[in-house]
């Protein structure tokens, strides 16, 4: 049994991840920011932990993470609140979580990031350009830490049912990926601790998630 602290626990990936972890006998304390989210999280098998990334300090977040083996960061402002909120959640929120994980001595840290090609070939807004810059800065921040990190860069997230099969590589063509399969790949990463300090691009594909990680071991 692995205890996985999910930052962004009420999110679309976060909920799927908690559900899959529960089904495989793991424990998923899930950080969420409004009390009304707790009942649904509990139903999915998660352990709701109330907390807002805009209000938590490093010491408090570290206490919440303390007995976990892995942190998964899948929080994001989702374009709501403009660049300021992206900077606060996807940017400073990630830095806060990294600092808290180090303080709590939770060494394994998985980050859901974004493909650098997202938005290529179309006119992108200033907000989206800022989002991509913040995602890259977050990757740099985590990659420069001494944690046992993995950065996962999914393509465009879709809500179609997952297949459990993906394409994963150091550099792969851009594409879609069901959120279910991002969650399945995070579970595979949690169950394959030998994959460490690597950036993995992810789309839909033909290979079961656990097998797709074999080249990274
Ligand atoms: N959309 C794409 O195609 C795409 C592609 C690649 C990567 N990504 C990234 O994938 C990640 C997860 O995606 P998703 O679909 O699961 O997103 P999501 O459903 O929007 O989940 C993000 C979670 O972050 C939480 N959050 C926001 N502000 C917070 C705060 N102040 N304190 C605590 N939690 C806060 C949200 O809480 P609430 O539930 O309360 O709002 C939400 O649960 C995001 O970081 C996104 O940038 C997206």
């Amino acid at each position: 049994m692995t205890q996985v602290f999910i930052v962004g626990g009420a999110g679309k990936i976060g909920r799927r991840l908690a559900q899959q972890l529960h089904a495989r006998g793991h424990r998923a304390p899930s950080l969420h920011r409004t009390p009304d989210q707790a009942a649904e999280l509990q139903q999915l098998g998660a352990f709701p932990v109330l907390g807002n990334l805009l209000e938590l300090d490093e010491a408090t977040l570290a206490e919440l993470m303390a007995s976990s083996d892995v942190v998964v960061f899948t929080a994001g402002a989702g374009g709501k609140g403009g660049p300021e909120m992206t900077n606060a959640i996807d940017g400073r929120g990630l830095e806060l979580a990294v600092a808290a994980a180090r303080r709590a001595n939770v060494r394994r840290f998985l980050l859901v990031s974004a493909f650098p090609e997202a938005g290529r070939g179309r006119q992108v807004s200033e907000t989206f350009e800022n989002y991509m810059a913040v995602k890259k800065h977050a990757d740099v921040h985590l990659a420069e830490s001494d944690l046992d990190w993995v950065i996962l860069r999914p393509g465009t997230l879709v809500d179609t049912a997952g297949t459990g099969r993906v394409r994963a590589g150091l550099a792969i063509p851009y594409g879609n990926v069901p959120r279910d399969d991002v969650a399945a790949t995070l579970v595979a990463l949690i169950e394959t601790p030998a994959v460490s300090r690597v950036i993995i691009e992810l789309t839909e594909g033909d290979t079961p998630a656990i097998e797709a990680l074999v080249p990274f071991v």
Side-chain angles (χ1 to χ4, degrees):
M1 192 275 290
T2 302
Q3 181 161 312
V4 182
F5 189 91
I6 306 175
V7 182
K12 296 195 200 86
I13 290 178
R15 278 184 271 131
R16 287 165 169 81
L17 176 60
Q19 204 167 19
Q20 293 186 28
L21 286 169
H22 175 67
R24 294 184 64 82
H26 302 298
R27 195 180 145 91
S30 296
L31 188 75
H32 66 101
R33 60 179 171 156
T34 62
D36 58 296
Q37 295 163 325
E40 194 199 336
L41 288 175
Q42 230 153 8
Q43 263 178 0
L44 296 174
F47 290 82
V49 178
L50 188 63
N52 191 321
L53 282 174
L54 298 175
E55 292 159 11
L56 285 163
D57 61 26
E58 181 189 316
T60 313
L61 185 55
E63 270 172 41
L64 297 175
M65 289 175 174
S67 50
S68 294
D69 307 295
V70 183
V71 171
V72 174
F73 188 97
T74 183
K80 291 176 219 124
E84 291 76 27
M85 208 47 79
T86 301
N87 299 347
I89 306 301
D90 306 62
R92 291 194 299 279
L94 176 277
E95 292 179 18
L96 174 71
V98 167
R102 292 186 75 247
R103 189 179 183 122
N105 202 27
V106 182
R107 308 303 306 166
R108 183 105 170 129
F109 195 113
L110 311 181
L111 171 61
V112 178
S113 182
F115 238 85
E117 282 78 18
R120 176 157 297 167
R122 60 187 170 93
Q123 200 81 27
V124 296
S125 66
E126 220 171 285
T127 306
F128 190 80
E129 182 54 38
N130 178 69
Y131 164 78
M132 290 307 295
V134 168
K135 286 299 199 201
K136 182 61 193 286
H137 284 304
D139 290 358
V140 172
H141 185 80
L142 179 60
E144 285 181 348
S145 79
D146 58 0
L147 292 173
D148 168 15
W149 54 265
V150 177
I151 294 168
L152 191 62
R153 290 178 170 168
T156 300
L157 302 175
V158 295
D159 284 334
T160 47
T163 61
R165 292 169 181 269
V166 296
R167 178 169 181 178
L170 293 172
I172 62 172
Y174 194 64
N176 292 344
V177 58
R179 287 178 170 88
D180 284 346
D181 292 336
V182 178
T185 305
L186 289 166
V187 173
L189 281 167
I190 288 157
E191 294 181 348
T192 317
V195 180
S196 182
R197 300 182 75 81
V198 65
I199 298 175
I200 301 176
E201 296 185 348
L202 185 78
T203 65
E204 59 200 353
D206 299 325
T207 311
I210 197 91
E211 284 175 31
L213 297 182
V214 170
F216 297 99
V217 173

